[in-house]
Amino acid sequence: MTKIRLQILTPLKKILDEEVESVILRTTEGDMGILYDHEPVVTLLDYNTIQYTQEGVKKVATTMGGFAEITSDRVVVLTDASEFPEEIDEERARQAKERAQKRLADKSMDRIRAEVALKKAITRMNLKGSI
């Protein structure tokens, strides 16, 4: 199987830059599967995960919004933040979720920031399987 280059980039660092067999992105329109020779496209990403297969092993990382540029031989993901399961502290994510839910209940708080914080916490918890 011909491989494609997957790059996951955040404003702070390069998370991943490797050859993979396939990628599944959660876009704002739904899931998108990508193999070598995919039609070129740019798409918006949702707060969720990116799944990819490398050497026959399925792997996953979070994506906190952003977008992906897909060409026939490359997927470049630009996202606010990205983490692998082993990097996520479940307790910290649970506490962040609770704080965000309290902020959403308080009408004087910045609702948009609270919603983003809640999405991030839920994404992390989903990746760890604790929600």
Side-chain angles (χ1 to χ4, degrees), residues 13-62:
K13 65 181 179 175
K14 184 185 300 185
I15 303 298
L16 184 75
D17 186 0
E18 297 185 11
E19 298 286 323
V20 301
E21 289 92 34
S22 65
V23 178
I24 299 174
L25 297 172
R26 174 66 53 93
T27 73
T28 56
E29 302 292 320
D31 288 349
M32 177 186 287
I34 301 147
L35 298 171
Y36 179 80
D37 205 24
H38 194 282
E39 185 73 23
V41 66
V42 174
T43 187
L44 292 172
L45 298 176
D46 205 350
Y47 286 77
N48 211 290
T49 59
I50 179 171
Q51 300 172 44
Y52 59 98
T53 304
Q54 188 176 42
E55 304 297 328
V57 177
K58 291 185 180 186
K59 298 181 180 184
V60 66
T62 62

Side-chain angles (χ1 to χ4, degrees), residues 71-112:
T71 63
S72 63
D73 64 348
R74 182 181 307 267
V75 177
V76 179
V77 172
L78 299 171
T79 182
D80 288 338
S82 181
E83 299 164 301
F84 295 104
E86 61 274 9
E87 297 173 322
I88 295 172
D89 181 335
E90 287 181 74
E91 181 59 24
R92 185 173 172 217
R94 185 190 60 74
Q95 290 172 359
K97 178 183 175 206
E98 290 173 3
R99 280 192 310 274
Q101 288 172 324
K102 286 178 186 175
R103 288 182 184 138
L104 282 172
D106 182 351
K107 302 298 182 195
S108 67
M109 298 298 288
D110 182 347
R111 185 165 186 80
I112 293 173

